[in-house]
Amino acid sequence: MAVHEHPRRSSGFHLPSLRRSRTASTPESAVSAHAGLSTWRAYAFASLRLTSGFVFLWAFLDKTFGFGYATPSGKGWIDGGSPTKGFLGSVAVGPMESTFHSWAGDPWANWLFMLGLLGIGLALVAGVALRFAAVAGTAMMALMWIAEWPPAKHLSDGSASMSTNPFVDYHLIYAVALIALAAAAAGDTLGAGRLWAKLPFVRDHSWLR
């Protein structure tokens, strides 16, 4: 006698649709989470860009008009004061001490320093030319780092330098931040970076991006 086996039908619960739903929803959740993280990252870099830009712009404005903070009232650049004489003239350590003393107060040094502060500050706030700003800002920070020369334990007169770290100080941090902002295209969020990148001369010269 032939026996024909029929597929057994289970009366249990089947959840194929639920499994498919979970499988389908997982990539969507991952994409959503990644998009959210990217958005937060973009705004974090934009905040860093704007605050860093204000640091450079404020330094320019205070040194120009003498608001009474780092630059005394009546001693601003517009009043005939020198933006570089005080800082460079007071350099008391490092391999470029005598060189900085010779530069202190020279018109070319004043103009170059002030235009650097203004240009870097405007670029950061607007979110344009961040690569150029990173190069110029890094060069400026490197010179200021050499002027303070953190590796020295003693100044030229033998007194303690009061250096808190022989390598890393705020000038180095600013330089790294500028490079990171340029690498992350931080001007695309809360800035004119996207519009700047579409300009013909910027497309032809990527270093202006």
Side-chain angles (χ1 to χ4, degrees), residues 129 195-209:
L195 295 176
W196 175 260
K198 293 179 181 179
L199 297 177
F201 67 91
V202 177
R203 289 200 304 264
D204 295 339
H205 303 86
S206 60
W207 61 273
L208 292 173
R209 177 70 172 83

Side-chain angles (χ1 to χ4, degrees), residues 115-207:
L115 288 177
L117 290 176
L118 178 62
I120 295 169
L122 290 177
L124 290 174
V125 171
V128 302
L130 294 185
R131 294 180 181 178
F132 185 80
V135 173
T138 298
M140 179 183 290
M141 293 299 106
L143 287 172
M144 296 179 74
W145 185 90
I146 295 173
E148 295 195 3
W149 200 245
K153 294 182 179 179
H154 300 89
L155 302 179
S156 298
D157 61 3
S159 61
S161 66
M162 304 303 290
S163 175
T164 58
N165 190 301
F167 302 108
V168 180
D169 73 344
Y170 65 97
H171 296 110
L172 182 58
I173 299 300
Y174 276 125
V176 172
L178 290 173
I179 295 171
L181 292 173
D188 293 353
T189 302
L190 300 179
R194 296 183 188 277
L195 295 176
W196 175 260
K198 293 179 181 179
L199 297 177
F201 67 91
V202 177
R203 289 200 304 264
D204 295 339
H205 303 86
S206 60
W207 61 273

Side-chain angles (χ1 to χ4, degrees), residues 67-137:
F67 290 147
Y69 290 89
T71 305
S73 180
K75 299 292 186 178
W77 194 25
I78 197 172
D79 301 310
S82 171
T84 62
K85 187 174 183 179
F87 177 69
L88 294 181
S90 62
V91 173
V93 68
M96 294 183 63
E97 179 180 354
S98 59
T99 301
F100 285 134
H101 289 173
S102 66
W103 290 355
D106 280 357
W108 69 267
N110 291 336
W111 277 97
L112 190 61
F113 179 59
M114 295 298 282
L115 288 177
L117 290 176
L118 178 62
I120 295 169
L122 290 177
L124 290 174
V125 171
V128 302
L130 294 185
R131 294 180 181 178
F132 185 80
V135 173

